[in-house]
């Protein structure tokens, strides 16, 4: 009998039981063909453990469990208020286990423990927020004629397949599970290959909170195998995905066979515009946070920074000084560490490849662009923060999503020009601008083609506010009240009042 759990001692000394199986019907099972995926700590390059990898057959079992749970009285019979209570209980359990969950994420993803703790706070906050919405999914009454009573109700969509990335493992799960459960759906969620451990640990909290079997099923597995099987499964009514634009397009295609409802949150190359009247210290701080947070592995990272020519050189120098002060590279469990490793060897190689490409295309590497000299024990996927200046629009580093601590700087001279340059991308996820002129701020915000605009900040997202993109950055919105639209459908009901007299 293959093992379904393993005792792990984390680098910070925490000893805990790590589930490593597939979570279907509130039970741990092994994969049907016994295949596993190796889990690597990117700070040390050592294997932590390995987890069962779902086959198409396992995905089928999970989807059928979610279908039975969706149709079953145990879940259908729970009114919104009671569903909300389950979610609040779940939030309390996540909060009580935040140390363990943050430890697991720091170890499996490489993010500094302090940042992982912030992510777990986001997780329980999102469950509380959507727990509050669970009994507020209202329909409308619509006046049509006196002969009938017309109204709408909001119904859950059904079985939702959710595919999450590795950059914020449990937070991305919460963004999707929160609204799905609040609206009364059931779920099969697939963890990213690189980071399955925290969501597997979280699975046991679902049972403890009292969720009926089959309401949330959690699988690990390869995208092209388990992910693709989930997207194509006939029992799955909806797919919600966060990840690369390339995979998002494949998912759209696969989901078209059964015309599934889809929500996609994909890539970005978000601009940050610094006007010459910006409050400089504040702009430097946010420009830094916008690209260096989470090792630059954020879909909304403001990775293209446009600076007005009057302040370009000063800004670039101040930014570089700030990076060298803040980006302390080191062990994710060391309190002083700001920057951990990239999540995987693949991402590490990809980011370094872009530094090479910048050199080849004639950009000037102002700082970084190599393996970090200060990485602990000479191991791990650590990259020195990379600043590339005087980048031209034809260069790969200007156009493509890099997903690392890698920023490109561009000069501009007029508002009109910079709006054009900022919008000259296939993406449209986020955008940001810094200025002291409120009129200009409002005017430019209206012209940026993006799902989100931050004024005098960057990446200051909030779970109460809709999140998502236009163009090739995605379809639909997550978070806030808008997040509920993605997980409910409207049914219109026309009730003929059978009036005998004509009106
Ligand atoms: P990916 O988009 O391939 O993976 C994301 C998720 O999709 C994972 O759970 C994966 O297993 C699943 N998946 C992959 N192929 C699939 C398929 N054919 N069918 C169904 N599911 C599938 O991204 P990956 O390879 O991890 O990273 C590549 C690049 O994607 C990164 O360098 C970054 O630019 C971007 N990315 C963007 C994210 C975002 O937040 N928007 C998050 C992660 C990556
Ligand atoms: Mg890992």
């Amino acid at each position: 009998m293959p093992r379904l759990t393993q005792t792990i001692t984390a680098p910070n000394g925490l000893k805990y039981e790590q589930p490593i199986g597939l979570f279907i019907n509130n039970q741990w099972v092994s994969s049907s063909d016994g295949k596993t995926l190796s889990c690597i700590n990117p700070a040390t390059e050592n294997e932590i453990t390995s987890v069962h990898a779902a086959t198409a057959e396992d995905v089928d079992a999970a989807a059928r469990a979610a279908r039975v749970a969706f149709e079953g009285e145990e879940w259908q019979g729970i009114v919104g208020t009671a569903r909300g209570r389950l979610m609040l209980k779940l939030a309390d359990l996540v909060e009580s286990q935040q140390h363990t969950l943050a430890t697991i994420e720091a170890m499996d993803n490489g993010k500094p423990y302090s940042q992982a703790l912030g992510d777990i706070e986001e997780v329980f906050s999102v469950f509380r927020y959507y727990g509050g919405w669970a009994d507020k999914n209202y329909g409308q009454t619509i006046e049509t004629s006196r002969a009938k009573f017309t109204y709408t109700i909001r119904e859950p969509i059904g079985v939702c397949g959710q595919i999450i990335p590795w950059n914020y493992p449990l937070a991305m799960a919460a963004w999707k599970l929160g609204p799905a459960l609040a609206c009364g759906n059931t779920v099969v969620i697939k963890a990213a290959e690189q980071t399955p451990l925290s969501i597997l640990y979280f699975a046991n909290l679902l049972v403890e909170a009292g969720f009926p079997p089959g309401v949330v099923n959690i699988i690990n597995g390869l995208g092209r195998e388990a992910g693709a099987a989930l997207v194509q499964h006939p029992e799955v009514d909806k797919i919600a995905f966060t990840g690369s634009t390339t995979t998002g397009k494949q998912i759209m295609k696969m989901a078209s066979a059964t015309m599934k409802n889809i929500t996609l949150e994909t890539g970005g190359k978000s601009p940050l515009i610094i006007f010459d009247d910006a409050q400089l210290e504040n702009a430097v701080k946010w420009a830094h946070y916008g690209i260096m947070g989470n090792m630059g592995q954020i879909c909304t990272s403001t990775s293209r920074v446009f600076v007005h020519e009057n302040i370009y050189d000063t800004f670039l120098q101040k930014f570089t000084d700030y990076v060298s002060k803040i980006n302390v590279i080191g062990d994710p469990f060391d309190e002083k560490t700001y920057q951990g490793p990239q999540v995987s060897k693949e991402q590490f190689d990809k980011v370094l490849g872009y530094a090479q490409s910048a050199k080849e295309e004639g950009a000037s590497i102002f700082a970084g662009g190599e393996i970090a000299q200060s990485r602990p024990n000479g191991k791990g996927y650590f990259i020195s923060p990379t600043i590339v200046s005087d980048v031209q629009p034809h260069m790969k580093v200007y156009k493509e999503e890099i997903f690392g601590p890698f920023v490109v700087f561009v000069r501009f001279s007029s508002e009109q020009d910079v709006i054009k340059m900022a919008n000259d991308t296939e993406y449209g996820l986020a955008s940001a601008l810094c200025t002291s002129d409120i009129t200009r701020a409002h005017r430019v915000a209206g012209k940026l083609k993006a799902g989100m605009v931050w004024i005098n900040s960057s990446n200051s997202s909030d779970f109460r506010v809709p999140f998502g993109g236009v163009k090739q950055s995605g379809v639909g919105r997550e978070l806030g009240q808008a997040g509920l639209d993605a997980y409910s459908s409207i049914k219109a009901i026309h009730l003929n009042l059978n009036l005998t007299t004509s009106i």
Side-chain angles (χ1 to χ4, degrees), residues 163-167 190-194 221-224 227-228 231 241-244 247 250-251 254 265-267 298-299 346-347 350 401-403:
I163 299 177
I164 55 168
W166 42 261
N167 52 347
K190 193 193 89 62
E193 290 87 324
Q194 298 83 349
L222 295 174
R224 60 175 183 274
V231 176
F241 164 80
T242 299
S244 66
T247 302
Q250 287 168 4
I251 285 178
M254 289 190 282
E265 201 265 283
T266 54
I298 313 182
C299 49
E346 200 181 351
Q347 289 300 122
K350 179 180 162 189
E401 181 174 60
I402 297 174
F403 231 63

Side-chain angles (χ1 to χ4, degrees), residues 11-198:
N12 61 356
L14 178 80
K15 195 168 168 192
Y16 75 101
E17 275 308 304
Q18 173 67 57
I20 55 172
L22 309 173
F23 182 74
I24 300 176
N25 252 331
N26 280 5
Q27 283 177 345
W28 292 103
V29 296
S30 35
S31 67
S32 56
D33 69 357
K35 286 219 182 77
T36 57
L37 289 173
S38 173
C39 304
I40 304 293
N41 175 343
T44 59
E45 304 179 36
N46 294 333
E47 183 176 81
I48 305 163
T49 180
S50 55
V51 297
H52 290 254
T55 60
E57 191 184 315
D58 301 321
V59 171
D60 180 55
R64 280 188 290 111
R67 170 60 57 196
V68 171
F70 182 70
E71 306 295 346
E73 196 40 38
E74 208 181 342
W75 186 237
Q76 289 279 343
I78 299 180
V79 295
T81 308
R83 275 202 312 276
R85 266 203 308 272
L86 284 176
M87 295 176 69
L88 297 178
K89 176 94 190 290
L90 179 64
D92 290 346
L93 290 168
V94 171
E95 185 170 15
S96 72
Q97 296 281 333
Q98 60 184 313
H99 173 54
T100 305
L101 288 164
T103 297
I104 298 173
E105 292 220 334
M107 172 173 68
D108 198 14
N109 168 285
K111 63 178 74 203
Y113 174 78
S114 56
Q115 294 175 30
L117 208 51
D119 291 2
I120 303 304
E121 185 179 342
E122 164 108 356
V123 173
F124 59 76
S125 302
V126 166
F127 282 123
R128 279 189 192 132
Y129 174 77
Y130 280 111
W133 273 115
D135 55 3
K136 300 172 191 69
N137 292 313
Y138 305 127
Q140 294 176 309
T141 57
I142 303 165
E143 188 181 356
T144 50
S145 83
R146 291 183 63 195
K148 68 178 186 176
F149 179 66
T150 319
Y151 61 102
T152 63
I153 52 174
R154 276 193 178 266
E155 294 187 324
I157 290 175
V159 175
C160 300
Q162 304 183 327
I163 299 177
I164 55 168
W166 42 261
N167 52 347
Y168 291 92
L170 205 49
M172 289 300 100
W175 283 25
K176 291 182 170 40
L177 285 171
L181 296 172
C183 294
N185 299 278
T186 60
V187 175
V188 178
I189 187 164
K190 193 193 89 62
E193 290 87 324
Q194 298 83 349
T195 52
L197 298 182
S198 56

